[in-house]
Amino acid sequence: MSERSPERIRNLALTGQAGTGKTTLAEALLAAAGAIGQLGSVERGSTVSDAGAQEKTLHHSISASVLGLEYGDVWINLLDTPGYTDFQAAALSILPAVETVAVVIDAENGVDTTARRMMQWALDRGLCRLVVINRIDAASARLEALLEDVRQLLGAECLPLNLPAEGASRVVDCFFAPQGEADFSSVAATHEMLVDQVVEVDEALMALYLEQGEELSPEQLHAPFEAALREGHLVPVCFTSATSGAGVRELLTVFERLMPNPLEGNPPPFLRQDAEGTHQYLAAPDPEAHVLAHVVKVEHDPFLGKLSVFRVHQGTVTRDSRLFAGDARKAFRVGTLYRLQGREHLEVERCGPGEIAALAKVEEAGLDSVLHDSHDEDHIHLRPVALPAPVFGLALHTRRHGDEQKLTEALARMTEEDPGLRVEQDSATRETVLRGQGELHLRMALERLSERYRIEVDTSTPSIAYRETIRASAAGHCRHKKQSGGAGQFGEVFLRVEPLPRGSGFEFADTIRGGAIPSSLLPAVEKGVRQAMQEGVAAGYPLQDVRVVVEDGKTHPVDSKEIAFVIAGRKAFLNAVEEAGPQVLEPLVELEVEGPGSAMGDLTADLAASRGRIQDTRTLGDLVSIQAVVPLAEIADYPRRLNALTGGSGRYTLRFSHYEPAPDPVQRELIQAHRRKREDA
C-alpha cells in the first residue's frame, strides 16, 4: 500500500445480522477485483476474513477483519464485521474507520433487528449508508416485496441502484445506464425516482432538471449524490448474490464511482478540550498537516506482539515517525507499519489520510487512542462510540494455584482486544468477574484463556453486590480502654448515625466542642467507621447512604492513641447501626428487551414473575420493545429464558439503575445466611 491521495480511497464496512453472508460477499468482492485467485469458503474455513481458529470452528466472524482491494482507479478498504449480537461491540468499535456502512440483508430472512439498529447507529454517527440485499438467487420470488419492506422499515429514502433480472441471475443498472428489463418494476421509473431524490439537495440542479427538462448525466449528479448520502437523504440499495456472483462487480462499481472518499464523507466527530470547554474539531485530510489518527482495533499477534490498527484522518505516518498517544508527554517511535489483509501483515513505508494501517509493539496505542505528532493535539479525542454494556457475567477461579497473576494479565489483553468484555474485581465479594454480551461471547473468551494463554478456570455465577443501609437515626457509644503493663489505650466516642437519600453514599462530620476529641484524632474515628461500613452489620455487605456525626468523646493525656479511636469509632458505629434498623438493599437494573410482537405477553409475564416493573412498551413494526426495572438477582439466567420465549430472536440490554430495599423474605434469608457463616467461622 503505497501512499494514495484521499480521492482514490474508499472505506466501507459490511455490517448486519449473522448469516446474511457478509464474509462470503467480502470473499466474492476480493475475487472479482483480482485480490485473491481462488474463492474461499466459510464452511471450509478458507476465507481471508475468518482466519482465526475459533471463527473457522464457529463458521462465523467474531472480530472485525480489514481487507484491501484495488478496483478501477481506487483502493477500497473493506471491513468485514461480526454479526452475532454477542460480538456487536467488536463491530461498532471499528466503524469510526469508515465513511460508509453497508448493511447486508439476507433476501430470504428479510429486514432484521440488527439491520435496523445498524442503520440508526450509522445515521446517528453521521456515516453514509448503503443497503445490500444478498442471496437474491435463493429468494428471487419475494424480492419485490422485500424491497417494499426495506423502504417501509428502514426509510423511504432507500432506493435501488439496480434491480434483479432474468430470475435474479444478474442485475440491471438503474443509475449509470438505465436500460433493460428487470424482474419487477421499471428500470426507467426507478432511474427517475433516483434522480428526483438526488436533485432535491441541489436547488440549481433541480431547476435545470425540472424547468428545462434536461437529462442529467452521472457526472452532473455526482456532487448532489454525495450530498444526499451525507445528509441521509438517500440510502442506495443494491442486489447481489455472493455465491452466484450476480451483482458483485456492479457493487464494486458502486463503491468506486458513488461511495464517498475521505474528502466527501462527513468529517469524523473529533472534540478538543481547552480551558473554555469542549469544542468540535475538524480534521483536514491533508497529507502535509499534523498527524491525527485514531486506533480502532487492538489485537495480540503471537509473532508480532501487540498490533494497533488505526485510521489516518490527517497528515502522514511513516516509519520512524515520532507520535504521541492521547495526552502522553513522551513520544514513541513508529517501527514497522503494516497493511492488513485478514490475518496477513504486509509491510508498508507510509500511510496518509484515509488509509487504514497497523503498528506493532506500541503499548501506549490502545483502543480509541488518538495518535498525533504535536502537543497542540494533546487534548483532541474522537466522540466515544456508544457500545452495548457487558451484561452477562461469570466469576472466574483459577484451577492451578499461582495462576492468579497470569489470569490478570491475560484478561487485560483480552479486554484490550475485545471492547465487549469487561473485568470487575469485586472488593465486597472478592471475586474476579468477567462480563460479556452473552453466553456465546463468554464461551469464546474462556476458550481463548485455555488455548492461547494455557489458563484453566472454573466458573460460577457472580455473587450479587447487595448493600446495607439504615432506616432511622440512632446514637452509639464506645469507651475503649486497654491496659497491659506497658503503654495503655484509651478512647471514648459518642456519635449519631442518620439515613441519607438513596445514592448519596457516605458523609462524616462532627459537632465536637471544647476539644473533647482533638482534630488530629478525628480521622482515626472515621477510619474505624469506614472499616465497619465495609464489613457490614446485618448481612455482611457494605453500608451506604449513611451520615455519621461525632458528637462528643474523651481522651487520656497519655493513652489516647490513634488505634484507640479507630477501635472506639468502629464499635460506636456498630452499636448505633444496630439501633437504627439496618436493612439490606438490592441492586436494580434497567432492562430493555426486544422481541417479536407475538411474544409480548410471554415477555411481560416473565418480567412480572421476576419482580420486574414495566416502565414502557413500544411497537417497532413487527417487533415489541419493553423497558422495565428488574432486580439483578432475578435475571442471572435471563439469556436462556429470553431465547426460549422468542425462539432465539430476542435481544436485551442492561444498565445499573439504583439500589432499593430487598423484600422481607430476601432480607431474612441473607441475614440468616450471614449469621450461619459467622457461627461456622
Side-chain angles (χ1 to χ4, degrees):
M1 180 179 68
S2 59
E3 184 186 351
R4 297 178 175 85
S5 65
E7 294 88 348
R8 293 185 54 220
I9 296 174
R10 307 289 184 271
N11 295 309
L12 302 101
L14 299 179
T15 68
Q17 179 70 41
T20 56
K22 298 184 298 299
T23 298
T24 303
L25 178 59
E27 197 77 6
L29 291 166
L30 290 170
I36 56 174
Q38 185 175 355
L39 202 65
S41 162
V42 171
E43 291 72 22
R44 294 193 301 271
S46 55
T47 61
V48 178
S49 292
D50 293 351
Q54 289 182 312
E55 292 172 318
K56 291 180 180 181
T57 301
L58 189 63
H59 296 159
H60 284 284
S61 303
I62 64 176
S63 66
S65 294
V66 181
L67 311 170
L69 59 93
E70 199 158 17
Y71 187 76
D73 193 40
V74 303
W75 178 267
I76 300 171
N77 289 311
L78 192 64
L79 308 186
D80 181 22
T81 68
Y84 268 122
T85 302
D86 285 33
F87 307 109
Q88 192 176 73
L92 293 176
S93 62
I94 202 169
L95 294 189
V98 303
E99 279 74 39
T100 304
V101 172
V103 179
V104 182
I105 295 172
D106 179 74
E108 282 192 300
N109 297 327
V111 180
D112 51 66
T113 305
T114 300
R116 296 186 195 187
R117 289 199 186 93
M118 281 297 183
M119 287 286 286
Q120 186 60 50
W121 188 93
L123 179 63
D124 294 343
R125 193 75 183 181
L127 296 174
C128 301
R129 297 170 295 166
L130 170 72
V131 172
V132 179
I133 298 177
N134 190 30
R135 300 183 67 234
I136 58 174
D137 53 332
S140 58
R142 66 177 301 266
L143 294 179
E144 183 174 11
L146 175 56
L147 181 59
E148 288 303 311
D149 288 345
V150 167
R151 302 199 65 208
Q152 180 181 355
L153 297 173
L154 302 182
E157 64 272 16
C158 297
L159 294 174
L161 288 177
N162 53 46
L163 290 168
E166 297 179 11
S169 62
R170 66 181 187 89
V171 300
V172 58
D173 173 44
C174 298
F175 184 75
F176 299 108
Q179 56 186 354
E181 296 294 324
D183 288 344
F184 60 86
S185 190
S186 160
V187 172
T190 301
H191 176 75
E192 187 175 347
M193 287 175 61
L194 280 166
V195 175
D196 288 347
Q197 190 81 356
V198 168
V199 298
E200 284 181 2
V201 302
D202 188 322
E203 293 183 3
L205 197 64
M206 181 184 290
L208 189 69
Y209 177 61
L210 295 178
E211 295 172 12
Q212 301 180 24
E214 290 192 18
E215 184 71 24
L216 301 176
S217 69
E219 289 72 27
Q220 287 175 291
L221 290 169
H222 183 84
F225 191 100
E226 300 303 327
L229 288 178
R230 287 193 299 272
E231 296 172 15
H233 188 67
L234 172 66
V235 177
V237 179
C238 297
F239 290 86
T240 65
S241 170
T243 51
S244 74
V248 172
R249 284 196 173 275
E250 290 82 354
L251 185 59
L252 283 171
T253 300
V254 169
F255 291 172
E256 177 198 13
R257 298 182 63 182
L258 293 178
M259 291 301 100
N261 63 48
L263 297 174
E264 295 170 326
N266 286 320
F270 280 104
L271 302 172
R272 172 177 241 149
Q273 293 175 317
D274 57 31
E276 298 178 359
T278 302
H279 316 277
Q280 185 177 9
Y281 179 88
L282 297 181
D286 177 359
E288 302 302 322
H290 281 308
V291 171
L292 202 60
H294 176 243
V295 178
V296 293
K297 182 184 179 185
V298 170
E299 59 184 58
H300 290 272
D301 184 89
F303 303 106
L304 299 176
K306 179 179 176 180
L307 278 174
S308 301
V309 182
F310 63 94
R311 154 74 189 265
V312 181
H313 292 282
Q314 178 179 295
T316 302
V317 178
T318 65
R319 287 187 178 187
D320 298 325
S321 288
R322 299 189 70 82
L323 300 178
F324 300 95
D327 58 1
R329 305 309 298 171
K330 183 179 179 182
F332 65 85
R333 188 181 67 83
V334 175
T336 309
L337 283 172
Y338 297 99
R339 175 172 70 81
L340 302 182
Q341 188 74 334
R343 295 277 172 169
E344 189 178 358
H345 309 96
L346 309 172
E347 291 191 23
V348 295
E349 295 293 327
R350 55 200 293 121
C351 52
E355 296 192 294
I356 299 173
L359 50 86
K361 298 178 181 177
V362 178
E363 291 305 315
E364 299 92 335
L367 181 65
D368 211 32
S369 292
V370 170
L371 309 180
H372 55 96
D373 59 0
S374 167
H375 282 305
D376 291 341
E377 281 82 42
D378 277 354
H379 301 292
I380 292 177
H381 62 276
L382 203 67
R383 177 159 59 87
V385 175
L387 300 178
V391 295
F392 192 75
L394 288 173
L396 308 183
H397 317 274
T398 58
R399 292 179 184 172
R400 291 190 299 266
H401 181 67
D403 273 359
E404 291 80 8
Q405 183 60 33
K406 284 179 60 180
L407 176 63
T408 299
E409 293 171 358
L411 291 176
R413 287 190 170 192
M414 290 169 60
T415 53
E416 193 174 34
E417 289 182 323
D418 186 345
L421 291 174
R422 185 175 69 213
V423 177
E424 298 173 356
Q425 300 289 345
D426 194 318
S427 59
T429 60
R430 295 180 176 84
E431 290 178 330
T432 297
V433 178
L434 179 64
R435 295 199 181 276
Q437 306 295 322
E439 293 177 283
L440 176 62
H441 192 199
L442 289 179
R443 178 160 58 84
M444 295 291 103
L446 294 178
E447 283 185 10
R448 287 200 297 279
L449 266 181
S450 174
E451 295 171 8
R452 187 190 301 182
Y453 298 103
R454 302 289 187 254
I455 300 173
E456 300 298 329
V457 296
D458 293 317
T459 63
S460 61
T461 302
S463 301
I464 302 298
Y466 292 101
R467 295 292 185 264
E468 296 181 24
T469 193
I470 54 176
R471 294 182 172 91
S473 299
H477 164 247
C478 176
R479 179 186 176 97
H480 173 69
K481 184 177 181 180
K482 182 179 180 183
Q483 195 72 39
S484 56
Q489 296 178 7
F490 180 88
E492 187 167 8
V493 174
F494 295 84
L495 56 73
R496 173 170 291 276
V497 295
E498 302 167 355
L500 289 174
R502 196 72 62 233
S504 299
F506 169 64
E507 293 181 9
F508 183 85
D510 75 273
T511 58
I512 297 291
R513 296 292 181 268
I517 301 178
S519 59
S520 61
L521 289 173
L522 284 173
V525 178
E526 181 178 356
K527 182 178 180 180
V529 168
R530 288 185 177 274
Q531 286 178 355
M533 287 186 66
Q534 189 61 35
E535 295 168 4
V537 177
Y541 296 101
L543 277 91
Q544 66 180 39
D545 306 333
V546 175
R547 185 170 190 259
V548 176
V549 182
V550 181
E551 298 179 324
D552 201 359
K554 291 183 181 179
T555 61
H556 185 278
V558 177
D559 295 341
S560 288
K561 302 178 178 65
E562 180 179 333
I563 184 61
F565 278 89
V566 170
I567 295 171
R570 179 178 181 277
K571 291 183 177 179
F573 175 77
L574 291 173
N575 292 339
V577 170
E578 291 284 2
E579 298 297 321
Q583 63 177 347
V584 179
L585 302 174
E586 65 176 353
L588 276 73
V589 293
E590 294 177 5
L591 170 69
E592 182 173 356
V593 57
E594 287 185 9
S598 58
M600 180 175 178
D602 292 335
L603 291 170
T604 54
D606 177 74
L607 290 173
S610 302
R611 298 193 284 127
R613 301 193 295 268
I614 307 297
Q615 306 290 306
D616 186 30
T617 59
R618 289 176 294 162
T619 300
L620 308 169
D622 56 350
L623 296 177
V624 63
S625 172
I626 304 170
Q627 294 180 356
V629 176
V630 190
L632 182 61
E634 299 288 343
I635 58 170
D637 64 341
Y638 193 70
R640 179 188 58 78
R641 285 153 45 197
L642 181 61
N643 283 337
L645 294 171
T646 63
S649 63
R651 182 180 182 275
Y652 73 102
T653 59
L654 282 184
R655 64 179 180 183
F656 173 76
S657 177
H658 64 283
Y659 277 93
E660 67 179 40
D664 287 343
V666 176
Q667 298 249 2
R668 288 194 295 269
E669 181 182 342
L670 293 172
I671 291 171
Q672 290 169 4
H674 181 58
R675 286 176 180 168
R676 289 193 297 268
K677 185 177 179 180
R678 285 192 300 186
E679 291 168 359
D680 293 341

